[in-house]
Amino acid sequence: MPDPTQALASAMTAAAAEIDQALDTLIPPPEGDEARLFEAMRYASIGGGKRLRGFLVLEGAAQFSVARDAALRVAAAIEMLHAYSLVHDDLPCMDDDDLRRGKPTVHRAFDEATAVLAGDALQTQAFLVLSEPDTHPDPAVRAELCRALARAAGARGMCGGQMLDMLAEAAGQPLEEAEIGRLQLLKTGKLIEFSAEAGAILGKAPIQLRHALSAYGRDLGAAFQIADDVLDATATAEETGKRTGKDADAGKATLVGLLGLERARLQAERLAAQAQDHLDAFGEAAVHLRALADYTITRRS
């Protein structure tokens, strides 16, 4: 019987290569007077990263026999939007980071104005890809993908979570566990939840199966963020490819800071187990998704 951990690693490596190839196709090569912008977009999005969100799309879509090319377009779109969020998050007005995925951040490699525009352009390119007929022949499916991603990424999702994070840091007052949970749900969890659900949208899945993948993604996203906070407190920059220890330095609200490392790890394990429970209806077809929940809380990058 194959080792689920090794099988997952191989599947994620293969998927990351496919997603990078899709990004290379969907983000035009630098040309014309706007070449610098395209160069920055490609620099931010192609190569590096775990492609966890894109992998979730591909695995979710596989549960419903969705065409691989269609699933790859959605996976690439989500990775574009995720890349935009990282570019903006790294800016001096946000987290002011110099390192991302083991290389200089976009505003360091180019300049701040170009970084802002590259993030803006990656976000709009994501929705352009989702809206095109090559993603799905049914316009209702394309519209639902756009609507669900906009909800996950906007003021009631990722952007709202970033606002809460900035407000908490500025206030300098510790948040309660429930407040930290909501902040992390919005900032990180909503996009991971959508990534898990997107394959079901593409496959026009029954609502109960769509809800099962959404619930899986919600618990996985919560576990992922706690694991990220643990890494920030325990890993090196060489392991993670980005600056570590920054949350503690900035006095940011995390469950690690509130509960301590061991209790935070236990919470992440509980959430990963919950995520796996949501996959019962998918049987052996969801083996990679189950293994991904374990990987999420044991990774070192």
Side-chain angles (χ1 to χ4, degrees):
M1 183 175 179
D3 178 359
T5 302
Q6 292 181 352
L8 174 67
S10 296
M12 290 185 73
T13 298
E18 288 184 282
I19 292 168
D20 268 358
Q21 186 174 10
L23 288 166
D24 186 49
T25 300
L26 294 168
I27 302 174
E31 62 180 26
D33 293 339
E34 305 88 355
R36 183 173 173 82
L37 175 59
F38 288 118
E39 184 182 353
M41 291 168 67
R42 292 169 65 86
Y43 178 89
S45 59
I46 299 174
K50 295 173 286 296
R51 304 300 187 202
L52 177 129
R53 292 156 188 81
F55 184 72
L56 280 170
V57 175
L58 298 179
E59 286 300 311
Q63 309 305 309
F64 308 103
S65 301
V66 173
R68 189 73 168 182
D69 286 348
L72 278 167
R73 287 177 63 88
V74 178
I78 289 176
E79 290 293 345
M80 288 180 207
L81 193 134
H82 178 53
Y84 125 72
S85 74
L86 299 180
V87 172
H88 283 193
D89 196 44
D90 290 336
L91 288 168
C93 63
M94 295 281 190
D95 282 357
D96 194 13
D97 274 321
D98 297 334
L99 189 68
R100 173 70 68 178
R101 292 176 173 171
K103 62 184 183 181
T105 49
V106 177
H107 70 275
R108 289 296 185 188
F110 295 83
D111 55 73
E112 286 186 41
T114 301
V116 171
L117 290 173
D120 292 344
L122 283 166
Q123 179 181 203
T124 55
Q125 187 73 4
F127 286 100
L128 175 63
V129 169
L130 292 184
S131 70
E132 290 177 327
D134 283 349
T135 298
H136 200 284
D138 187 344
V141 169
R142 303 197 303 270
E144 177 61 12
L145 287 168
C146 289
R147 184 191 70 84
L149 180 56
R151 184 176 59 194
R156 297 289 187 184
M158 182 180 68
C159 290
Q162 178 69 6
M163 185 79 256
L164 293 179
D165 199 12
M166 292 169 60
L167 290 172
E169 185 178 349
Q173 296 179 348
L175 298 181
E176 299 294 331
E177 184 174 350
E179 294 173 311
I180 295 173
R182 181 169 185 266
L183 185 162
Q184 294 182 340
L185 170 65
L186 297 183
K187 183 176 179 179
T188 303
K190 288 292 185 180
L191 191 57
I192 291 177
E193 182 179 340
F194 168 72
S195 300
E197 184 183 13
I201 298 173
L202 270 173
K204 297 185 176 181
I207 193 66
Q208 65 270 23
L209 294 182
R210 178 173 168 178
H211 285 169
L213 281 179
S214 177
Y216 163 83
R218 183 170 57 251
D219 287 337
L220 183 78
F224 178 90
Q225 184 57 59
I226 296 172
D228 232 30
D229 294 341
V230 169
L231 282 174
D232 186 71
T234 63
T236 65
E238 288 73 23
E239 287 178 303
T240 64
K242 60 184 179 181
R243 178 164 59 95
T244 56
K246 61 182 182 180
D247 289 343
D249 293 343
K252 285 199 171 187
T254 68
L255 284 178
V256 171
L258 182 66
L259 303 178
L261 276 171
E262 289 311 309
R263 287 182 61 197
R265 283 192 175 110
L266 288 173
Q267 179 82 322
E269 290 171 5
R270 181 183 65 79
L271 286 162
Q274 279 183 193
Q276 291 169 328
D277 288 343
H278 294 302
L279 299 173
D280 287 349
F282 298 99
E284 286 303 309
V287 61
H288 288 331
L289 292 175
R290 290 190 183 88
L292 187 64
D294 291 327
Y295 162 80
T296 293
I297 59 173
T298 57
R299 62 195 169 88
R300 293 300 296 171
S301 65

